[in-house]
Amino acid sequence: MYGKDRIYKKVEIIGVAAVSIEAAIETALVKAQNSLDKLSWFEVQDVRGHIGPDGKVAEYQVVLKVAFELKG
């Protein structure tokens, strides 16, 4: 795997979950895995969320950049 020449592309995705930041990341990565081949890494670009009427966090939103290896 490593030691050979490779080219990657990065795309931006946004994961959303009511439970946690980690759940929002996992949701985004699972969906990306279903759509893209050879996922390699991710970078968290931004974290934000919605506040519910009770003043508590209602939803987490995580902006990710996901890299995948281009086919040869």
Side-chain angles (χ1 to χ4, degrees):
M1 178 173 170
Y2 295 106
K4 65 175 185 167
D5 295 336
R6 305 176 297 291
I7 302 295
Y8 294 92
K9 179 171 181 70
K10 287 196 294 187
V11 296
E12 186 173 275
I13 60 175
I14 302 167
V16 178
V19 179
S20 67
I21 292 168
E22 290 85 1
I25 292 170
E26 290 293 333
T27 298
L29 293 178
V30 166
K31 187 68 167 183
Q33 182 69 33
N34 291 333
S35 301
L36 302 168
D37 292 329
K38 295 188 173 185
L39 287 183
S40 187
W41 74 86
F42 71 93
E43 304 168 10
V44 174
Q45 299 293 302
D46 195 15
V47 177
R48 58 181 172 251
H50 285 136
I51 301 168
D54 60 358
K56 295 182 181 180
V57 175
E59 178 180 85
Y60 297 91
Q61 301 171 351
V62 180
V63 179
L64 305 168
K65 288 212 176 169
V66 179
F68 59 96
E69 189 174 349
L70 295 176
K71 295 179 182 176

